[in-house]
Amino acid sequence: MKRSSRPSRGRHGRRNHQQNSALGPHNSSERNTPGPSQSSGRGDEESPSTSSSSTGDSSVSDLPGFYYDSEKKRYFRLLPGHNNCNPLTKESIRHKEMESRRLQLLEEDDKQRKKIARVGFNASSYLQKSQLGFLNATSYCRLAHELRVSCMERKKVQIQSSDPSALASDRFNLILADTNSERLFTVNDVKIGGSKYGIINLRGLKMPTLEVHMHENLYFTNRKVNSMCWASLNHSDSHILLCLMGLAETPGCVTLLPASLFVSSHPGTDRPGMLCSFRIPGAWSCAWCVNVQANNCFSTGLSRRVLLTDVVTGHRRSYGTNSDVLAQQFALVTPLLFNGCRSGEIFAIDLRSPTQGKGWKAIRLFHDSAVTSVKLLQEEQCLMASDMAGKIKLWDLRTNKCIREYEGHVNEYAYLPLHVHEEEGLLVAVGQDCYTRIWSLHDAQLLRTIPSPYPISKADIPSVAFSSRLGGSQGAPGLLMAVRQDLYCFSYS
């Protein structure tokens, strides 16, 4: 009697917003700050949950410690944390709502409904304006890409390998396309622990078959990868630079891995390269220098230190910092190295300055959370950065001010990269909620939200690569998504 009387008394008490409605996977304002307990009125109105927050009677009150199920028209008791006997917890309710939203978006994608990213967007009218001279070629191409991205269709890519059994068991962890989008370097988690590396040749990625070949070198089965990037030592993208974690009593290191050990991308000119390993333990990030003033050099971000290493001579320069360096990128024209720190600071190192003194910090910007990715735009006047609070900001390096924010990204503690494509005018990022979001680089308009083909899980965050020329200069535009054992292609229709 006592338990059944509590809901009836609660109907005449103070009315609150439904506590579970703010936990829907699309609410950007809630995901930008860690923790599921914060809510806002806007999130309550827009939540796609299947609980009472979206379908229930608005007169239903929110009782502390209870959850109202609109389908069963009754309250259920909430238990703190996880409980094997009664799994009705806030976490399970939240996961159920997010899964319902994911399945709904997948169903919409499978029905191939035409999505319009902007109100009033009409391809024929923009083509007519371009022909009449009212729209320049750059703006027309950007708007055309926005329309095509909104209508991309998901198709599964067939991967051929010399070891088919490994394809069925190894899970994709990271993928990274080279400069020309002809090859895809992959890091796969293996069952016995550690990671296995491979290179996928994308030149066979053509409709309608979508078949690619995975080249593996089983000798290079190594430790977990913290960071990686392509390196141009012998020629463009001749090597892959890897930051490897330590394992047991074996310290971490930085490895320069020749791509020719997997597959020769330049027949007749590629020679089997040598594996170079550098004793640099505890590296969080790495970047290969493309500036002529520091040729054949790479940088590693360590705990409270930035290390610049010359591959040929072995000479090193060290710069002390106040925080762990989680993201790095070299400028192409100016001799600067941009760094993003756990403290939220972004600073640039002037490579011409000595390591001692105070003159080597050329630029300083600040986020409110740990910076996980920095991307310098082509003209080197703006910098894109993302952090662990889900914020993506575009900074003007001439004024050191934020000029644009991209809403909707989700991150609480993960290392999630940004993918900036200026030629197409697009920004791509995968959130910790496993949704891939595509924005207009021009005005921060969210163009597309792509759900993962698998249930949302922190262990199954997709890794993506976008290009307008997948497979090389004659390739087709599209997005590659690697999740679990599968590779998907979202191609322009």
Side-chain angles (χ1 to χ4, degrees), residues 189-248:
D189 294 335
V190 296
K191 284 186 176 181
I192 59 175
S195 301
K196 183 172 66 175
Y197 317 133
I199 287 182
I200 294 178
N201 190 341
L202 298 179
R203 294 176 182 174
L205 192 67
K206 297 179 181 180
M207 298 292 290
T209 55
L210 292 178
E211 290 185 358
V212 295
H213 189 82
M214 167 79 82
H215 301 272
E216 298 173 323
N217 193 323
L218 300 181
Y219 176 77
F220 298 103
T221 301
N222 216 311
R223 294 154 286 178
K224 182 179 178 181
V225 177
N226 270 347
S227 179
M228 64 180 185
C229 66
W230 285 92
S232 302
L233 186 59
N234 300 335
H235 51 76
S236 178
D237 298 334
S238 61
H239 291 68
I240 304 99
L241 188 65
L242 302 170
C243 292
L244 304 177
M245 289 186 62
L247 182 64

Side-chain angles (χ1 to χ4, degrees), residues 191-354:
K191 284 186 176 181
I192 59 175
S195 301
K196 183 172 66 175
Y197 317 133
I199 287 182
I200 294 178
N201 190 341
L202 298 179
R203 294 176 182 174
L205 192 67
K206 297 179 181 180
M207 298 292 290
T209 55
L210 292 178
E211 290 185 358
V212 295
H213 189 82
M214 167 79 82
H215 301 272
E216 298 173 323
N217 193 323
L218 300 181
Y219 176 77
F220 298 103
T221 301
N222 216 311
R223 294 154 286 178
K224 182 179 178 181
V225 177
N226 270 347
S227 179
M228 64 180 185
C229 66
W230 285 92
S232 302
L233 186 59
N234 300 335
H235 51 76
S236 178
D237 298 334
S238 61
H239 291 68
I240 304 99
L241 188 65
L242 302 170
C243 292
L244 304 177
M245 289 186 62
L247 182 64
E249 297 181 357
T250 304
C253 65
V254 175
T255 298
L256 197 59
L257 190 64
S260 57
L261 294 179
F262 297 88
V263 56
S264 178
S265 57
H266 295 74
T269 60
D270 271 357
R271 298 179 180 179
M274 294 183 61
L275 172 68
C276 301
S277 184
F278 303 86
R279 295 182 180 179
I280 306 177
W284 293 102
S285 58
C286 63
W288 181 262
C289 184
V290 291
N291 194 293
V292 294
Q293 298 193 38
N295 196 24
N296 294 329
C297 291
F298 69 88
S299 176
T300 46
L302 312 176
S303 297
R304 302 178 180 272
R305 189 160 58 105
V306 173
L307 195 62
L308 190 65
T309 305
D310 189 309
V311 176
V312 179
T313 64
H315 177 70
R316 294 182 179 181
R317 284 190 285 171
S318 179
Y319 300 86
T321 65
N322 297 324
S323 180
D324 301 338
V325 180
L326 305 181
Q328 294 182 307
Q329 186 184 10
F330 282 95
L332 176 62
V333 179
T334 56
L336 296 176
L337 169 63
F338 289 86
N339 304 268
C341 299
R342 190 183 298 276
S343 63
E345 180 186 9
I346 301 173
F347 64 89
I349 297 177
D350 191 335
L351 303 178
R352 298 166 298 184
S353 302

